[in-house]
Amino acid sequence: MQYIPNILFVIALIAGIGYFVKNIRKVIRNIRLGKDVDRSDNKKERLKNMAMVALGQSKMVRRPIAGFLHIIVYIGFLIINIEVLEIIIDGIFSTHRIFAFLGGVYDFLIGSFEILALLVFVGVVVFWIRRNVIKLKRFWNPEMKGWPKNDGNFILYFEMVLMTLFLVMNAADLQLQNLGAEHYIKAGAYPVSQFISPLFEGFSETTLFIIERTAWWLHILGILVFLNYLYFSKHLHIILAFPNTYYENLNPKGQLDNLEAVTKEVMLMMDPNADPFAAPTGDEAEAEPEKFGASDVTDLNWVQLLNAYTCTECGRCTSECPANQTGKILSPRKIMMDTRDRLKEVGDNIDKNGSFVDDGKQLLNDYISAEELWACTSCNACVETCPVGISPLSIIVDMRRYLVMEQSAAPSDLNNMMSNIENNGAPWPFNQMDRLNWSNE
């Protein structure tokens, strides 16, 4: 009977981690549905970018208040969960505070964890107030209704509960230590829970044991639930921010990539010795794309799909977007959310059928409208401001390429401009011979 708690703990641990691994494999599978792109260059620069942006939160602090609070919550939550290692060992082997032999170091660690837990709780409360009381505009855009809005609050409640359980567990443990209860050796420093501990004065040892064990179990089970909740939440970025910043495009932000097939076609046109009627052979034949641009998620590259899964839905991109600021329908955040939703839909289709079965849907029109795509000014503000290196612009450009090159569905103004460039060598409807007429007036 004495081993039943250990057995239950191991079962919960295996089930929690196993389900998480299963879902992460789905994420990886879905990301690999994208087209290949080489991001293996400049490893030192990529590692530096990951360290600065994902770990160092360098882009978060551009908005100091939110950035500072996010750093506290982020670092605090990660460091506090170092204690999970001790909880796991204690849960498996029926020990209690196995690292207490570290003495003063252990006291410092537990004390630091408690202070961080309090700071995390305060930071989370401030974030909740910003979302639900102050109601910052970027958290109340149309795409943030329903699940996205609730998801943002659920994670805040999760963290409040986990921090509270951690402090209650320690407060009850401290009382048991003072009573000299069996196994509850004096260990650790409790700068925060010592103020909660008086609430339990006068409780029997049995009651305190039940409170401490209940908080202990709920804390570790809550962490396992939180871990698996990430797959269904925007907070998957806690994990994916690291690979996303590593594989970020290192080219200058305003530099757009050229389609290789189009570049070869232009070079062919410029080569007076080339035979325009010669059929492509070898590598040239293999380089011919199935279609130009992207109309669905499988037409995008895997880094763009990684971007979609990494989106934090913070809305900084949308709040900086000049098109959105002037009332246009475009929201870069919605572009990323729609891409992720469609990718999950494709993944669920594969899970159900073994391979993808045409569902009559695609990213273009069913999720993202042409009006949204053409509202973009290509200014790159969304890319510049994203705290985790996401590029909504790259997806917008690829989808516009599809509209122009596959469907000839460019707006009339753009068609007029391209006709003018073709006929007059400039975007204006004036003959080249008439360009300097203004100087005679």
Side-chain angles (χ1 to χ4, degrees):
M1 290 291 290
Q2 63 176 331
Y3 296 112
I4 290 179
N6 307 77
I7 295 170
L8 292 175
F9 179 84
V10 171
I11 291 173
L13 189 65
I14 293 173
I17 295 176
Y19 187 62
F20 173 75
V21 170
K22 176 184 176 182
N23 285 330
I24 288 298
R25 290 179 67 182
K26 286 185 182 180
V27 171
I28 295 171
R29 187 274 315 277
N30 290 352
I31 290 172
R32 286 178 173 171
L33 294 175
K35 296 186 179 300
D36 189 35
V37 61
D38 185 11
R39 292 288 171 85
S40 60
D41 60 325
N42 300 313
K43 288 183 173 58
K44 288 185 179 179
E45 188 175 352
R46 292 187 179 282
L47 286 171
K48 178 182 177 182
N49 190 57
M50 181 176 68
M52 291 290 293
V53 179
L55 185 62
Q57 306 279 293
S58 60
K59 295 181 95 175
M60 285 296 301
V61 295
R62 292 180 182 178
R63 299 188 183 188
I65 296 176
F68 177 70
L69 290 171
H70 189 274
I71 288 174
I72 288 176
V73 172
Y74 175 73
I75 295 179
F77 190 77
L78 288 180
I79 292 177
I80 291 166
N81 282 318
I82 292 175
E83 195 199 14
V84 173
L85 176 61
E86 181 180 60
I87 291 177
I88 290 174
I89 295 174
D90 287 344
I92 294 174
F93 298 105
S94 289
T95 54
H96 187 71
R97 296 195 178 275
I98 188 68
F99 294 140
F101 69 89
L102 295 173
V105 174
Y106 187 76
D107 293 348
F108 173 78
L109 288 174
I110 297 299
S112 300
F113 294 163
E114 289 214 341
I115 293 171
L116 285 170
L118 178 62
L119 291 175
V120 168
F121 190 92
V122 172
V124 167
V125 169
V126 174
F127 281 138
W128 186 89
I129 292 172
R130 281 160 56 87
R131 280 179 173 270
N132 300 284
V133 179
I134 300 175
K135 294 187 176 181
L136 292 182
K137 184 177 182 295
R138 62 191 171 100
F139 296 128
W140 289 82
N141 283 48
E143 68 267 19
M144 296 304 292
K145 294 179 180 178
W147 169 250
K149 176 179 178 294
N150 293 332
D151 179 34
N153 283 326
F154 288 160
I155 208 75
L156 296 179
Y157 299 141
F158 243 122
E159 294 189 29
M160 287 182 198
V161 170
L162 288 175
M163 295 305 103
T164 300
L165 288 169
F166 172 71
L167 294 173
V168 167
M169 176 184 73
N170 281 353
D173 194 295
L174 180 58
Q175 282 289 346
L176 288 165
Q177 290 181 29
N178 292 335
L179 290 174
E182 187 178 2
H183 299 305
Y184 287 85
I185 59 173
K186 284 190 174 293
Y190 306 95
V192 178
S193 59
Q194 67 178 336
F195 296 103
I196 303 174
S197 186
L199 297 174
F200 303 139
E201 286 183 357
F203 286 21
S204 68
E205 186 174 309
T206 301
T207 303
L208 288 171
F209 177 79
I210 292 172
I211 293 172
E212 191 273 336
R213 285 291 88 188
T214 300
W216 186 92
W217 273 99
L218 290 177
H219 182 67
I220 186 62
L221 292 176
I223 289 173
L224 291 174
V225 171
F226 177 87
L227 181 68
N228 284 283
Y229 177 75
L230 295 181
Y231 171 73
F232 304 95
S233 167
K234 66 173 185 171
H235 288 82
L236 195 58
H237 75 267
I238 294 173
I239 299 170
L240 295 184
F242 291 90
N244 195 78
T245 50
Y246 180 83
Y247 291 114
E248 185 179 353
N249 189 352
L250 298 181
N251 292 329
K253 289 291 189 289
Q255 180 178 326
L256 298 178
D257 64 308
N258 294 319
L259 294 178
E260 186 177 358
V262 175
T263 300
K264 288 183 177 179
E265 188 72 20
V266 172
M267 294 177 67
L268 180 65
M269 293 170 61
M270 300 294 291
D271 184 357
N273 299 317
D275 181 0
F277 302 104
T281 58
D283 293 340
E284 291 183 0
E286 293 178 3
E288 290 295 317
E290 296 179 5
K291 68 180 182 184
F292 295 103
S295 63
D296 209 351
V297 289
T298 52
D299 301 323
L300 299 171
N301 65 56
W302 65 266
V303 174
Q304 292 169 316
L305 301 185
L306 174 61
N307 280 184
Y309 266 118
T310 309
C311 179
T312 71
E313 297 179 16
C314 67
R316 292 188 178 204
C317 53
T318 295
S319 67
E320 295 287 341
C321 175
N324 187 272
Q325 290 175 7
T326 55
K328 303 293 192 303
I329 194 175
L330 173 65
S331 169
R333 171 173 56 190
K334 179 180 177 295
I335 297 293
M336 302 314 302
M337 292 169 66
D338 286 344
T339 302
R340 181 178 60 210
D341 289 345
R342 173 57 180 164
L343 182 55
K344 286 183 176 180
E345 185 177 49
V346 170
D348 290 343
N349 185 308
I350 294 173
D351 291 336
K352 180 180 179 181
N353 301 298
S355 60
F356 182 71
V357 175
D358 187 12
D359 57 3
K361 297 181 181 179
Q362 60 178 3
L363 184 61
L364 180 63
N365 296 326
D366 291 300
Y367 284 84
I368 301 172
S369 68
E371 182 182 356
E372 293 174 77
L373 298 174
W374 292 117
C376 177
T377 66
S378 306
C379 70
N380 233 66
C382 57
V383 183
E384 183 63 34
T385 196
C386 179
V388 289
I390 291 169
S391 177
L393 178 60
S394 68
I395 295 177
I396 291 172
V397 168
D398 280 348
M399 295 184 74
R400 291 202 301 205
R401 281 172 172 163
Y402 175 83
L403 287 171
V404 173
M405 303 181 73
E406 292 284 344
Q407 296 192 331
S408 299
S412 58
D413 289 343
L414 186 57
N415 281 330
N416 291 336
M417 182 195 73
M418 289 189 288
S419 296
N420 290 330
I421 291 175
E422 181 179 1
N423 297 325
N424 305 321
W428 304 284
F430 304 113
N431 187 285
Q432 296 184 39
M433 301 298 294
D434 298 330
R435 287 185 187 174
L436 294 178
N437 287 352
W438 64 271
S439 63
N440 297 324
E441 296 180 1

